[in-house]
Each structure stands twice: as structure tokens, then as C-alpha cells.
Amino acid sequence: MKNNWNLKVFFLTFILAMIFSLIANVLGKFNNTILIVCIISIILIGIVFDIVGTAVLSCDTKVLHSRASQKLKGAKQAINLAKNASSVSSFCNDVVGDVCGIVSGSLVTILVVNLFINSNLSIWNVILSSVLSALTVGGKALGKSIGVKKSNDIIYRVGKILSIFSKKK
């Protein structure tokens, strides 16, 4: 097993879930508008990471090497992502994607309680959970097709973003 990847994923997921859950707890005390914005933001984060996770598995490293030979900023980082496609995809799709799904579900539950405290919660919980699921799954399905179709551009852009944080040699 390469560098105990499974153990790293376990602890990384635990830490991310804890951070997001603490944030969700704090957000539950704010008004519902902020809660809705946070739910939508977390869904979008999950979709974006799903796009990257899919793109890294389907990108063409020849295109990335061509960009690196032209000394384009971020190309080396993009190649590094492609070389570690399995781990990057697992992190993006499984760790971040699943944590976002769980946390957005928790936030929807808080929203349901906030909005409908004096009514029949079960029907609203079903409706809002269904909307959340449809947005998440539908968004990820759309994201996967975008990730496959535009994989080289997506991974190169992620490489450019990562190059900002890379040490200069």
C-alpha cells in the first residue's frame, strides 16, 4: 500500500468532517438565508471537486507534457496531478465529495427545524432532502461529463492554481 493511503484518507476525512460539522453547528445559529447560501456553497464545492476528480482520471498527459515543454505556469503541477490520478481522484470524489454531501444533509436538517419548527417536519424534511439530493446528484452527473470532455483544461487550470502555492526553485 503506497504510503498508507487508506489510513491518510481515513484521518483526512475525519478532520474535514469535524471541521465542516463544527461550522454547520455554528451556522445553525445564524439566520436561514446564511444557512441556504452555505448549503448551496457546500453543494457547489462537492460538484467542483467531483469535476476535478473525474478530469484527472481522463486527462491526456501528452497535452500536459506539451504545455510543460512550453514552460507554461502550472503545467508541472498538472502533470504531478495526473501522475497521482488515483489518489487525487479518491481525495476529490470520495473525501471532499462525501464530506460535502454529509454536511449539506446536516445543514438541510437544521434548516428544516429552523423553518418548520411548528409544523409537520416530516414532509418538509422529505421535500428539502429530495431537493438537496437532486441538486447534488444532478450537479455531479453534469460535472462528470464536463470533467471528461474538458479534462486537460481543467487539470491544467488546477495546476495553475496549485503553482501559486508551489515553492520557486
Side-chain angles (χ1 to χ4, degrees):
M1 189 165 31
K2 187 179 176 184
N3 293 334
N4 296 319
W5 174 244
N6 294 334
L7 195 58
K8 288 179 183 178
V9 166
F10 173 82
F11 284 112
L12 187 57
T13 303
F14 178 80
I15 290 168
L16 284 174
M18 186 182 294
I19 291 168
F20 281 154
S21 293
L22 288 171
I23 292 169
N25 243 349
V26 170
L27 292 174
K29 294 170 179 43
F30 287 101
N31 73 30
N32 294 330
T33 304
I34 293 173
L35 203 52
I36 291 168
V37 168
C38 289
I39 291 168
I40 292 169
S41 298
I42 289 172
I43 290 171
L44 289 174
I45 289 168
I47 292 169
V48 167
F49 272 84
D50 208 56
I51 290 170
V52 172
T54 301
V56 76
L57 290 174
S58 58
C59 69
D60 182 1
T61 56
K62 289 181 227 160
V63 173
L64 300 176
H65 282 288
S66 172
R67 290 179 179 175
S69 71
Q70 298 170 18
K71 306 253 189 243
L72 295 177
K73 183 178 181 175
K76 288 181 183 178
Q77 288 81 2
I79 291 169
N80 205 18
L81 288 169
K83 283 182 182 177
N84 296 294
S86 178
S87 297
V88 171
S89 177
S90 177
F91 173 77
C92 290
N93 295 95
D94 300 331
V95 176
V96 176
D98 291 353
V99 168
C100 285
I102 291 165
V103 172
S104 62
S106 298
L107 289 175
V108 164
T109 301
I110 293 169
L111 180 64
V112 167
V113 170
N114 287 352
L115 289 174
F116 308 106
I117 195 120
N118 294 323
S119 66
N120 184 359
L121 288 179
S122 60
I123 189 66
W124 291 109
N125 194 17
V126 169
I127 292 169
L128 287 177
S129 295
S130 299
V131 169
L132 168 74
S133 297
L135 287 173
T136 302
V137 173
K140 287 184 174 208
L142 177 64
K144 283 187 189 322
S145 65
I146 293 169
V148 170
K149 289 178 186 171
K150 302 196 176 283
S151 59
N152 296 323
D153 292 331
I154 291 167
I155 296 307
Y156 175 63
R157 287 180 185 169
V158 173
K160 280 178 82 169
I161 292 168
L162 291 176
S163 73
I164 295 168
F165 304 103
S166 296
K167 294 178 184 176
K168 303 285 182 200
K169 291 185 179 180

